């Protein structure tokens, strides 16, 4: 059974403040073009490019945009230090959020009047998503679950054990 980490690396229409300079929100669809183009996106730990835990082109990281935001599913390798760290820190709840690295392709700015200006991101080139304890957007998520596959192996095992017990081969 594999341990998988999944959640939202970004959520649409959720406002945050960036560096006390401006407010920002992600418009629905801002990831659609870049995901359609099948980029080589990596998942890393805390924006550290030396701690890669998944990659779209290796099929260890799946990304999709839905009505909520940018959803991910990660299959970290538990035999690597970074994979162990990802699994352990998410399991314990030390890391519950995400961030992402991108280049803005299209944006809209609105005057904030008596508030900070608002940047609406409409299109990005996405190159990384990251598990982090300090996400810029507080409503991102990362949770750990044990993936049992389709359950066939467990069903076969239970059936075989029952058959052996019925024949008196086990107690």
């Amino acid at each position: 059974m594999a341990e998988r980490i999944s959640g939202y690396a970004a959520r649409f229409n959720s406002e945050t403040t960036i560096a006390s300079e401006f407010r920002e929100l992600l418009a629905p669809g801002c990831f659609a073009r870049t995901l359609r183009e099948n980029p080589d996106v990596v998942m890393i730990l805390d924006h550290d490019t030396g701690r890669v835990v998944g990659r779209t082109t290796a099929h260890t990281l799946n990304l999709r945009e839905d009505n909520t935001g940018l959803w991910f599913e990660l299959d970290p390798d538990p035999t690597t230090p970074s994979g162990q760290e990802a699994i352990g820190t998410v399991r314990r709840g030390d890391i519950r959020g995400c961030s992402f690295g991108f280049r803005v392709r299209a944006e809209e700015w609105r005057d904030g009047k008596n508030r900070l200006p608002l940047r609406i991101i409409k299109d990005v080139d996405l190159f990384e998503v990251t598990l982090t304890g300090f996400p810029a957007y507080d409503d991102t998520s990362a949770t750990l679950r044990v993936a049992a596959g389709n359950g066939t192996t467990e069903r076969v095992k239970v059936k075989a054990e029952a058959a052996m017990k019925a024949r008196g081969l086990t107690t």
Side-chain angles (χ1 to χ4, degrees):
M1 290 194 263
E3 293 177 295
R4 291 195 176 130
I5 299 171
S6 61
Y8 281 94
R11 290 185 185 258
F12 298 134
N13 298 313
S14 173
E15 193 176 296
T16 193
T17 300
I18 304 295
S20 300
E21 295 291 323
F22 59 92
R23 296 173 297 136
E24 181 178 89
L25 70 79
L26 303 167
C30 68
F31 299 104
R33 180 201 46 79
T34 194
L35 293 177
R36 228 181 5 260
E37 293 173 356
N38 296 315
D40 184 17
V41 178
V42 295
M43 171 147 299
I44 57 181
L45 299 176
D46 210 21
H47 294 292
D48 182 343
T49 58
R51 294 163 50 200
V52 175
V53 292
R55 182 175 223 122
T56 55
T57 56
H59 306 290
T60 54
L61 172 65
N62 294 308
L63 297 170
R64 80 167 184 264
E65 185 179 279
D66 62 19
N67 292 333
T68 302
L70 180 63
W71 179 88
F72 75 92
E73 184 173 55
L74 170 69
D75 293 320
D77 184 348
T79 67
T80 66
S82 293
Q84 290 172 4
E85 183 178 0
I87 291 165
T89 55
V90 172
R91 177 188 294 125
R92 287 172 27 131
D94 297 332
I95 289 183
R96 296 184 301 247
C98 296
S99 187
F100 56 100
F102 63 100
R103 186 174 69 83
V104 175
R105 300 255 317 227
E107 64 190 359
E108 175 187 328
W109 284 91
R110 294 186 183 161
D111 184 355
K113 305 225 186 298
N114 60 347
R115 298 176 66 198
L116 293 172
L118 175 65
R119 174 167 86 160
I120 302 168
I121 297 177
K122 299 192 168 216
D123 185 21
V124 301
D125 287 327
L126 180 68
F127 51 87
E128 58 108 335
V129 289
T130 193
L131 295 166
T132 184
F134 300 101
Y137 288 87
D138 289 333
D139 60 353
T140 60
S141 62
T143 57
L144 183 77
R145 65 183 174 81
V146 176
N150 62 10
T152 302
T153 303
E154 188 60 30
R155 284 194 304 271
V156 168
K157 180 181 172 188
V158 167
K159 209 177 214 182
E161 288 173 348
M164 289 174 68
K165 189 173 185 178
R167 290 186 186 121
L169 300 174
T170 63
T171 56

